[in-house]
Amino acid sequence: MDKESQKYRLVCTLTFGDVYGQIIVWLIVIFLTLASALGLWSSTRQLYALAMVGLVLVLSLPFLLFAFVTTLLNHIEFTPLEATETTSSSSRRIVKGGQKTAEATS
């Protein structure tokens, strides 16, 4: 138990370009749904139009969320820190005058 636990660095390499296509697809789905709802909108088919909007959005949302979450998880990397990196990062925390810098801890 006197062995130190391994420390890891979490790096997210996700960029806007990685999810740009997914955002475009989601916008296309929304606009096509609203356009077809307006096509169905009349005094007798208002319920059908609202039901179709709800159905398309409810059915497409899980697939789009799944695509986004898997893209996000594929761009997260855990790299083990070496002993020299952990000691140098702990020594960097103390600044002149005894002040400590603000760092996020995991």
Side-chain angles (χ1 to χ4, degrees):
M1 293 287 176
D2 50 340
K3 197 175 190 181
E4 247 186 72
S5 64
Q6 180 71 34
K7 294 186 178 185
Y8 293 92
R9 178 176 308 221
L10 175 96
V11 178
C12 182
T13 60
L14 188 69
T15 61
F16 184 69
D18 296 327
V19 294
Y20 189 71
Q22 295 174 11
I23 293 170
I24 296 297
V25 168
W26 179 239
L27 288 173
I28 289 171
V29 167
I30 289 174
F31 284 126
L32 287 178
T33 303
L34 292 176
S36 58
L38 282 174
L40 281 176
W41 197 269
S42 68
S43 61
T44 59
R45 293 187 177 165
Q46 291 176 357
L47 185 60
Y48 292 131
L50 290 175
M52 192 197 61
V53 169
L55 184 67
V56 169
L57 293 180
V58 165
L59 291 178
S60 67
L61 186 62
F63 294 104
L64 293 168
L65 284 177
F66 175 77
F68 176 74
V69 169
T70 53
T71 302
L72 176 65
L73 292 177
N74 286 334
H75 285 85
I76 292 178
E77 299 174 358
F78 290 100
T79 55
L81 293 176
E82 296 179 12
T84 57
E85 291 179 8
T86 56
T87 57
S88 65
S89 65
S90 63
S91 64
R92 280 187 291 162
R93 292 182 186 154
I94 300 176
V95 184
K96 292 180 183 177
Q99 296 177 344
K100 290 187 178 181
T101 60
E103 289 186 357
T105 59
S106 56

